[in-house]
Amino acid sequence: MPSLHTMGQQQDRRSWAEPYKIKAVEPLYMTSRDHRERAIADAGYNTFLLHSRDVYIDLLTDSGTNAMSDRQWSGMMLGDEAYAGSENFYHLEQTVKECYGYEYLVPTHQGRGAENLLSSTLIKPGHHVPGNMYFTTTRFHQERNGATFHDIIVDEAHDTSSLFEFKGNVDLDKLQRLIDEVGADAIPYVCVAATVNMAGGQPISMANIKAVRELTARYGIPIYLDATRAVENALFIQEREEGYADKSIAEILKEFCSHTDGATMSGKKDPIVNIGGWLSTNDREVFEEARNLVVVYEGLHTYGGMAGRDMEAMAIGIRESLDDDYMKSRVGQVRYLGMLLEQWGVPFVKPVGGHGIFLDARAFYPHLAQDQFPSQTLAWQLYLDSGVRAMERGIVSAGRDPVTGEHRRPKLELTRLTIPRRVYTQAHMDVVAEAVKECYEERESVKGLKMVYEPKYLRFFQARFEPLA
Ligand SMILES: *Cc1c(COP(=O)(O)O)cnc(C)c1O
């Protein structure tokens, strides 16, 4: 049996179930292996290029793939589609203030819109931005504005077998060293993510964010939070950190955010909607600049690329995401999938994170070199086996160094099974686990891929591959 440590606190209790029931359903389509062979070849062996009609269980991402509640759908009818001053904007602004605690809000079409505003507002060429591991779009906007990114996450985050409970933590020595080396003036802000997507959805502790706050305050460096998955992070703090067991997720979230100066948000994750995002800040000057810029890239400062109804659905979704029972079932479903895989000895990142299972593709295919794209290969094999769609998180996602032009070589070669919120059932998790098991049993006969088309930016989205002979 899996250890209590890896699976969280579900083992010693009776079964739990989702705190909702299904009101509308959407059909899924099964395909034959022949069909899938053609479909993945047409897609250049990149799961991003598949038609979703050819996918059975879609675990590509949990981004915007969420199921909204009846309350949110009702909210859609309350959309105030005014160009300026929409009612729904004020509702969203008030909700963010109450739930996350930030003073000022700039709405955007999704998370990267907020990253663009923050990066172009604060970063000057030659700056350095430290972060607890990179996120693809976040780092891209930092570098595009002339900054150098520095990974200051704890070493445990790069070790798939480490059972450290807060693998998202910032390594304070790494941060201090960077400040000593480049000087505080060259660091416009520290970028802290909670939970850390690229590390496998790993949380950062309250003690750690407080310590980062103390350190940066001495130098006057602000902290901007990637709050995309901060509600999931709050659940881990509640479960694992001393003194938080009796606090609600809502309380923990607000306390966590109070140690930061603002946040970028992809509404497509925690807030349980299909599109939207925002930038928030307590800094009046940053707000003024970002509110000015938003009209260039996104739309007026009271809609920022969202329809009024989208803002309403997000305001309602934020409150729903803070329900303790909901969040336990959300992460509980991920852990259930992990528990099945653990029983069968399948290698993946532990402890299980907030939003998905990250299969360790290096351990699947030790015979493949990193240049043969083991994570991409595993995503291809999974799709072939059962129509389950996963995503590469390895050397393809890491891209090339903008200075040397060389491949970045991340230690982690992961294939991500991401669980959309409120969409699939336990039976779907069983099917997925069996597909992974099948691929694991067949692992020795698998050959890798070569890249035959490489886009210039964020190449993982559109790159094309061919199987090695
Ligand atoms: C998805 C995501 C983003 C980017 O948000 P988009 O809405 O996809 O633009 C940024 N950071 C993290 C941690 C994410 O998961």
Side-chain angles (χ1 to χ4, degrees), residues 247-297:
K247 294 211 164 129
S248 68
I249 285 177
E251 290 170 312
I252 296 169
L253 176 74
K254 206 154 174 190
E255 184 183 332
F256 195 93
C257 294
S258 75
H259 299 301
T260 68
D261 298 278
T264 55
M265 169 62 88
S266 168
K268 307 173 75 170
K269 323 288 173 49
D270 272 352
I272 336 182
V273 288
N274 304 117
I275 194 72
W278 41 261
L279 167 67
S280 56
T281 178
N282 294 328
D283 183 326
R284 178 90 207 174
E285 264 176 56
V286 172
F287 170 61
E288 294 291 358
E289 178 69 17
R291 185 169 64 161
N292 193 195
L293 265 182
V294 77
V295 300
V296 181
Y297 292 108

Side-chain angles (χ1 to χ4, degrees), residues 93-150:
E93 186 186 47
Q94 189 57 31
T95 304
V96 171
K97 200 168 179 172
E98 281 174 30
C99 297
Y100 288 84
Y102 301 117
E103 194 58 32
Y104 306 111
L105 184 81
V106 183
T108 60
H109 76 288
Q110 58 184 86
R112 68 200 69 182
E115 290 165 353
N116 180 29
L117 296 181
L118 182 69
S119 299
S120 24
T121 299
L122 289 179
I123 294 173
K124 305 270 171 306
H127 271 170
H128 298 266
V129 179
N132 52 346
M133 207 174 258
Y134 82 100
F135 185 75
T136 51
T137 56
T138 318
R139 183 177 66 189
F140 181 84
H141 281 294
Q142 292 161 358
E143 289 176 343
R144 210 167 78 105
N145 283 282
T148 306
F149 172 81
H150 298 266

